[in-house]
Amino acid sequence: MTVMNWRYIVGKSFSEFCHSVLSSQIMPLTRVIPVGISYPYDIKRFFRGNKIKTIFDAGANVGQTSLFLNRYFPQANIYAFEPIKTTYETLKNHAVNFNNIKTYNYAFGSEECQKTIRIRENSELNTLVDSSNQSFAQNESLEQVKITTIDNFCHHNHINNIDILKMDVQGYELEVLNGADNYLKNNLVKIIYSEIGFDKSNQECQSFEDLYLFLTKRNFRFSGFYEFFRWGENKRYFGFCNALFVNFNL
């Protein structure tokens, strides 16, 4: 087994152990645990022991984040949204044994519509961002997907507020937020956790600068970075990570 494999196994085992401890319902909120280790644990600090009731997982893929957050917040209703049919079926199968995880076969955007999306071999890279200027790979296909808005979905489903909005939509994050204009204006979204990057030329990864400017104008404060992805020899290059924003009224 290579050194890299050993590092991966040790790192993954340690991470799993940490989350097993921190997600325990008898684990107290304590200053002993440094900020930045676990974003769900840090979110609990902001809520000061109050129960988190509503979580939106926009870009749920096969449900990995929904299932992960369910460990920390088993009392919450988790709404998982995935527009790609085959990926959605896997998400639905993964969530079938969890009554609090509800799945929906559509995406969020700035308006109600349908849009064509390119289906890639790695489902985590599917994006609604216009990529017509990129060459079409032989193994790619096209699919029509349904798009709704957060405001409309919440109105029709009688959802009064969103405690956590997680977004991993490959550069489509601001479109999602533009469709939540009413909820953002009225401080009805408490926490936003989003994948971000720093290369503005990469349209398929949300620019941190643009997201920061958008959210700070809407009463959010930046809290920190989590889950870093690095690449290259010895992981010397930064790829992307996730950013946590907190509504100032929380």
Side-chain angles (χ1 to χ4, degrees):
M1 186 177 291
T2 65
V3 174
M4 186 58 68
N5 286 341
W6 273 110
R7 289 177 179 173
Y8 173 78
I9 292 171
V10 171
K12 185 175 182 180
S13 298
F14 179 73
S15 176
E16 179 62 29
F17 171 76
C18 288
H19 285 301
S20 296
V21 173
L22 295 177
S23 65
S24 170
Q25 298 307 297
I26 62 172
M27 178 68 187
L29 296 176
T30 172
R31 294 180 181 178
V32 174
I33 306 299
V35 173
I37 298 296
S38 163
Y39 75 89
Y41 187 82
D42 290 343
I43 288 173
K44 283 186 175 183
R45 299 185 215 249
F46 282 108
F47 276 80
R48 302 178 183 89
N50 295 321
K51 285 189 176 181
I52 291 170
K53 298 178 181 179
T54 306
I55 299 172
F56 276 25
D57 184 358
N61 196 249
V62 298
Q64 51 271 64
T65 299
S66 291
L67 295 174
F68 174 68
L69 290 176
N70 186 60
R71 294 171 58 180
Y72 279 87
F73 311 112
Q75 77 287 345
N77 287 315
I78 300 176
Y79 299 82
F81 304 89
E82 172 54 46
I84 307 303
K85 291 179 182 178
T86 55
T87 310
Y88 172 75
E89 289 302 318
T90 304
L91 163 65
K92 187 168 65 172
N93 289 335
H94 285 168
V96 70
N97 294 321
F98 300 90
N99 293 329
N100 63 317
I101 301 179
K102 303 172 178 64
T103 62
Y104 300 87
N105 186 206
Y106 42 84
F108 283 132
S110 60
E111 61 181 354
E112 300 266 355
C113 64
Q114 288 194 347
K115 193 169 183 178
T116 301
I117 189 171
R118 292 169 64 168
I119 309 300
R120 293 167 173 166
E121 185 175 3
N122 183 351
S123 63
E124 294 184 10
L125 300 180
N126 291 329
T127 177
L128 285 162
V129 172
D130 183 9
S131 53
S132 58
N133 61 334
Q134 297 185 13
S135 58
F136 199 85
Q138 187 174 4
N139 60 351
E140 289 183 357
S141 59
L142 299 176
E143 183 176 320
Q144 281 284 112
V145 299
K146 178 183 176 182
I147 300 175
T148 188
T149 70
I150 287 179
D151 283 342
N152 286 345
F153 178 85
C154 290
H155 173 73
H156 292 310
N157 290 276
H158 310 290
I159 297 172
N160 296 324
N161 59 70
I162 302 169
D163 293 320
I164 302 172
L165 169 59
K166 166 264 175 181
M167 296 186 295
D168 184 359
V169 290
Q170 299 300 115
Y172 211 64
E173 282 78 3
L174 291 184
E175 286 291 311
V176 172
L177 293 175
N178 280 323
D181 185 60
N182 179 57
Y183 270 57
L184 292 176
K185 282 181 178 178
N186 290 284
N187 297 305
L188 299 177
V189 181
K190 305 304 181 185
I191 297 283
I192 292 177
Y193 187 71
S194 175
E195 183 178 281
I196 59 93
F198 295 92
D199 180 4
K200 296 194 73 170
S201 68
N202 181 6
Q203 295 183 335
E204 296 186 10
C205 187
Q206 175 59 54
S207 158
F208 173 72
E209 179 184 352
D210 292 344
L211 184 63
Y212 177 88
L213 292 173
F214 183 97
L215 289 176
T216 52
K217 291 178 180 178
R218 290 162 177 80
N219 211 30
F220 280 84
R221 298 291 178 89
F222 170 63
S223 177
F225 295 122
Y226 298 81
E227 300 181 313
F228 297 89
F229 174 81
R230 304 187 66 85
W231 63 279
E233 185 180 356
N234 297 320
K235 303 293 183 181
R236 65 179 62 179
Y237 302 116
F238 175 83
F240 56 85
C241 65
N242 291 296
L244 181 66
F245 293 86
V246 182
N247 190 287
F248 194 62
N249 286 340
L250 180 60

